[in-house]
Amino acid sequence: MKGNIIKYARDNIDTDVIIPGTYLKIHDYAELATHAMEGLDPDFHSKVKEGDFILSGKNFGCGSSREHAPIALSHSGIKAVLALSFARIFYRNSVDGAFLLPIEIGQDAYDGISEGDEISIDVSTNEIKNITKNQTYKMKPFSELIGKIIAAGGLFKYKPDQD
Amino acid sequence: MGKTLFEKIWESHIVVEKQNNPTLIYIDRHLVHEVTSPQAFDGLRQNNRKVRRPDLTIATMDHNVPTTDRSLPILDQTSSVQIKTLEKNCKDFGIKLFDINSPNQGIVHVIGPQLGITLPGTTIVCGDSHTSTHGAFGALALGIGTSDVEHVLASQTMWLEKPKPFEIRVEGKRKNPHAVTAKDIVLSIIKNIGTSGGTGTVIEYRGEGITDLSMEQRMTICNMSIEAGARAGLIAPDEKTFDYLRNREYTPKNYESLVDSWKDHLKTDSDAKFEKEFILHIDDIAPQVSWGTNPGMTCDVTDSVPSPDEFSNGDPNQKRGAEKALDYMALAPGTLIEDIKIDRVFIGSCTNARLEDLIEASKVIKGQKISPYVKAMVVPGSQMVKKQAEEMGLDKIFIDANFEWREAGCSMCLGMNPDILSPGERCASTSNRNFEGRQGTGGRTHLVSPVMAAAAAIHGHFVDVRKMDLS
């Protein structure tokens, strides 16, 4: 999986800025996507491209349990969020509906990857390649449940006896 | 080795557990509201599924209901649609609903306990992060997203990875328990352990500082567990817990025999091990005021706004976060917290809108008028809280002081209904999140206790309520 980085160099990006509460009444996901990240970056909708990745700091997706947050990012074209750590409800919500991949990274990847860099992610080897800068980093493996839900293609496809 | 309270509840709810696999956990109570459920019900319909246990599922509307006159139509069409959709879904799937005109309507985390639906030792889920509130009764209560809401509706179970038990001991006694409240205790905890200090854990709050608290105060503590990143917060049930739930509308008929079994079982064994520990001494803690844009950015009312340099710690993001927060909040480092002027006061939310919260705030207000520069409102947590407060004459105290007295709902906590801040407005709020734009685009939120919010309404700026006579 390949994409370009949109970097937010800060911790604690909460689901209220990912999709502000006033838009939780919207049921059309394409319309919801037009408001993604509006609370933090009003230019997000105009700059995001299909297949982009977000890179951010610690505790990404904290706060409200709204699944609208990964849905809004996913329908904006975001395929993965790379962060130093994730709040757990967001981490789970991201994969339940196969919306996007929540990738936990180390400080080396966080520091090494810049806005606009082209990145490839290989979850089978837990490897992240920075094509722009010709660097390689390790991602943290998915937690047990998250990895299994991703492999199944979403919560409703997951069966324990597949293992 | 002994077991923690969390481990006991977890183990008694395992449906499927296999080596190297997640655990399927049985859910005893599922609380549903209008915002995170519509897609879940759509999913059931698309797959021809029923709600497996409608008798264990309870719904209400709280997030976007208007808090003004309920006899009038709802002007916001999208809110109206969401509210009507929940009515239809509950009817179609046979779920008990406390609708907008029900005397039991209110914030889902306020009505669960007051109706006796929340019980010790149970597992509770809701598509809302503040489900952790119910942990005050010794229930394992988890906030979940909409896919998991659908999964629980369909199966009454949920796949989970086992969180780690985290002990937070609250030691000592507050010198002035009317001025230094449960809100100040939990804000102090988050200030110390940080907004991700509890990630991947279930916190059990223990110690004299917790057992001294009333049930409503314990709910304020557990409510904000999620603001420390924890999956849930728990307090072992005791006589106060059992008394609170006795003779409620939905208290089980065999309640006394349940109490007997809970007494023996629902406590952490003396030789149990926690994976993480934190101790807070509360003898000398001050009322807390948040200055930034997450609940960990909090200080004493007697402090001044910190400088971002204090947060460098070798981590540039912490300093940058503080700089951005101060910029958003339009605050200069060194400004005394007591010198910060406010435009709005919101007493409400699942954190602090129960009867005791309103009683305590009314003591500050009684016989006074709010500052002419401040707009203030009280939004009771439920219609039942509102009725009880009115029977005590609290509504009159607030209205005489020029507060607005509203109908129950989440209201200005999250800005989904017309109760929002205008850009640049500064609010003393008893809610749980001071995130950017949470109470309305450009709105600036300071998290405080109900007495601190009430005092700020009177004076037009923050004041140390320890100087007041609140007995």
Side-chain angles (χ1 to χ4, degrees):
Chain A
M1 181 153 97
K2 250 191 231 178
N4 291 94
I5 290 289
I6 298 174
K7 185 166 180 176
Y8 296 105
R10 58 191 285 178
D11 297 336
N12 296 312
I13 290 189
D14 59 75
T15 53
D16 272 271
V17 299
I18 296 171
I19 186 75
T22 187
Y23 303 122
L24 303 184
K25 293 171 260 184
I26 297 172
H27 288 233
D28 177 54
Y29 291 162
E31 190 190 344
L32 193 69
T34 64
H35 301 288
M37 300 303 281
E38 191 176 293
L40 183 71
D41 178 7
D43 300 329
F44 177 79
H45 182 61
S46 58
K47 72 182 175 198
V48 66
K49 300 184 307 298
E50 181 67 25
D52 279 354
F53 304 141
I54 285 175
L55 174 71
S56 190
K58 292 182 192 131
N59 206 26
F60 189 93
C62 60
S64 161
S65 64
R66 57 190 72 168
E67 205 159 294
H68 307 68
I71 291 171
L73 293 178
S74 163
H75 283 259
S76 299
I78 296 292
K79 295 285 177 242
V81 176
L82 290 71
L84 287 169
S85 66
F86 287 92
R88 300 329 265 187
I89 303 178
F90 180 90
Y91 190 61
R92 173 69 175 265
N93 286 348
S94 298
V95 302
D96 269 356
F99 301 119
L100 54 85
L101 295 183
I103 309 274
E104 276 193 274
I105 54 169
Q107 196 68 40
D108 57 340
Y110 180 77
D111 292 335
I113 301 172
S114 311
E115 172 87 16
D117 283 0
E118 190 183 17
I119 299 294
S120 72
I121 301 168
D122 185 345
V123 297
S124 65
T125 57
N126 291 323
E127 217 166 66
I128 301 169
K129 276 198 182 120
N130 188 335
I131 298 160
T132 308
K133 292 192 178 134
N134 195 25
Q135 293 173 344
T136 305
Y137 327 97
K138 276 278 174 198
M139 61 173 267
K140 291 178 197 163
F142 292 119
S143 76
E144 185 185 57
L145 176 56
I146 296 300
K148 285 176 193 288
I149 293 175
I150 291 169
L155 176 67
F156 289 96
K157 294 179 182 158
Y158 169 62
K159 290 182 203 148
D161 54 0
Q162 283 174 330
D163 299 282
Chain B
M1 194 179 73
K3 288 175 180 157
T4 64
L5 171 59
F6 157 67
E7 288 161 329
K8 291 181 186 183
I9 301 173
W10 177 270
E11 286 173 14
S12 66
H13 286 81
I14 293 172
V15 180
V16 175
E17 187 183 42
K18 286 186 189 173
Q19 199 74 34
N20 301 321
N21 263 297
T23 309
L24 191 67
I25 291 291
Y26 192 77
I27 303 301
D28 295 314
R29 296 280 186 282
H30 187 186
L31 309 172
V32 173
H33 65 84
E34 77 278 20
V35 175
T36 54
S37 66
Q39 290 92 340
F41 285 111
D42 287 349
L44 292 184
R45 282 194 186 92
Q46 280 160 20
N47 294 289
N48 253 331
R49 294 185 176 120
K50 292 180 182 157
V51 173
R52 184 174 173 89
R53 292 296 301 267
D55 55 323
L56 303 180
T57 311
I58 296 277
T60 193
M61 31 193 73
D62 54 6
H63 277 60
N64 61 21
V65 295
T67 57
T68 45
D69 189 347
R70 295 262 159 97
S71 63
L72 300 171
I74 298 170
L75 293 176
D76 179 342
Q77 281 311 301
T78 52
S79 290
S80 177
V81 166
Q82 219 163 41
I83 287 163
K84 284 185 186 135
T85 302
L86 181 63
E87 283 171 2
K88 180 174 179 354
N89 285 334
C90 288
K91 196 162 167 271
D92 288 356
F93 289 93
I95 293 168
K96 176 95 192 149
L97 167 71
F98 301 116
D99 69 12
I100 195 160
N101 298 311
S102 164
N104 287 334
Q105 181 268 341
I107 306 176
V108 64
H109 311 308
V110 177
I111 69 170
Q114 78 181 10
L115 292 170
I117 292 165
T118 303
L119 294 175
T122 58
T123 50
I124 301 175
V125 296
C126 174
D128 187 279
S129 59
H130 291 110
T131 308
S132 58
T133 312
H134 306 267
F137 294 84
L140 179 60
L142 308 164
I144 58 176
T146 299
S147 296
D148 280 314
V149 168
E150 184 180 340
H151 195 277
V152 176
L153 287 172
S155 68
Q156 205 59 31
T157 63
M158 189 179 161
W159 290 107
L160 281 164
E161 278 166 297
K162 193 176 179 183
K164 295 176 169 34
F166 179 8
E167 176 185 40
I168 294 186
R169 293 197 73 85
V170 180
E171 302 283 12
K173 281 202 183 289
R174 293 164 290 155
K175 292 197 181 79
N176 184 343
H178 293 287
V180 180
T181 68
K183 183 67 161 286
D184 303 301
I185 294 174
V186 73
L187 282 172
S188 297
I189 290 169
I190 301 165
K191 175 173 75 176
N192 278 285
I193 69 171
T195 49
S196 54
T199 301
T201 73
V202 169
I203 297 172
E204 183 179 342
Y205 300 95
R206 312 176 79 198
E208 186 186 19
I210 296 296
T211 52
D212 276 353
L213 298 174
S214 70
M215 288 315 299
E216 298 198 350
Q217 294 164 342
R218 293 179 192 182
M219 282 188 255
T220 300
I221 301 272
C222 288
N223 172 275
M224 290 192 73
S225 303
I226 183 72
E227 309 313 332
R231 208 67 185 78
L234 270 178
I235 294 173
D238 60 12
E239 287 302 328
K240 284 182 194 174
T241 320
F242 307 139
D243 288 346
Y244 184 97
L245 293 171
R246 201 166 269 126
N247 301 320
R248 302 269 168 179
E249 196 174 332
Y250 290 86
T251 304
K253 293 211 163 53
N254 60 339
Y255 185 69
E256 296 312 324
S257 68
L258 288 173
V259 169
D260 289 339
S261 68
W262 292 332
K263 272 181 190 168
D264 296 336
H265 182 61
L266 291 179
K267 54 188 172 206
T268 291
D269 297 329
S270 56
D271 56 343
K273 288 246 180 328
F274 289 90
E275 304 237 354
K276 206 172 168 181
E277 287 170 353
F278 172 76
I279 298 175
L280 180 78
H281 295 279
I282 57 168
D283 302 85
D284 297 313
I285 67 167
Q288 301 294 301
V289 180
S290 74
W291 53 265
T293 52
N294 72 52
M297 293 174 164
T298 290
C299 63
D300 294 355
V301 62
T302 47
D303 284 343
S304 51
V305 174
S307 159
D309 291 329
E310 294 173 36
F311 299 89
S312 51
N313 260 346
D315 180 352
N317 270 6
Q318 284 209 24
K319 186 178 171 186
R320 200 176 300 129
E323 282 167 354
K324 282 186 190 290
L326 291 183
D327 183 48
Y328 182 83
M329 295 296 287
L331 290 172
T335 308
L336 284 173
I337 296 293
E338 290 193 86
D339 286 346
I340 298 173
K341 292 192 174 65
I342 51 144
D343 309 300
R344 305 283 293 266
V345 169
F346 171 59
I347 297 180
S349 87
C350 56
T351 313
N352 277 129
R354 297 179 184 83
L355 189 60
E356 276 179 51
D357 297 318
L358 305 191
I359 291 171
E360 291 296 305
S362 74
K363 290 180 191 166
V364 176
I365 303 291
K366 195 167 188 177
Q368 307 216 52
K369 298 275 183 211
I370 62 172
S371 160
Y373 304 105
V374 171
K375 263 179 77 179
M377 64 198 281
V378 179
V379 183
S382 69
Q383 291 303 78
M384 200 191 287
V385 168
K386 179 171 185 262
K387 181 165 172 275
Q388 289 167 336
E390 287 172 353
E391 284 164 3
M392 297 174 72
L394 303 186
D395 55 330
K396 238 186 122 347
I397 294 173
F398 284 108
I399 292 165
D400 286 349
N402 293 332
F403 267 84
E404 290 184 55
W405 180 255
R406 295 292 190 93
E407 307 294 322
C410 299
S411 179
M412 205 195 270
C413 176
L414 85 164
M416 276 200 75
N417 79 351
D419 309 338
I420 54 170
L421 298 179
S422 300
E425 274 192 322
R426 189 179 294 284
C427 181
S429 178
T430 67
S431 56
N432 39 57
R433 288 188 176 133
N434 50 346
F435 298 154
E436 291 183 23
R438 169 86 176 174
Q439 295 192 291
T441 308
R444 297 174 179 134
T445 305
H446 293 274
L447 304 176
V448 288
S449 71
V451 284
M452 282 291 289
I458 302 291
H459 294 274
H461 58 87
F462 293 112
V463 291
D464 185 349
V465 288
R466 289 175 299 182
K467 296 176 198 161
M468 297 177 151
D469 179 16
L470 300 173
S471 50

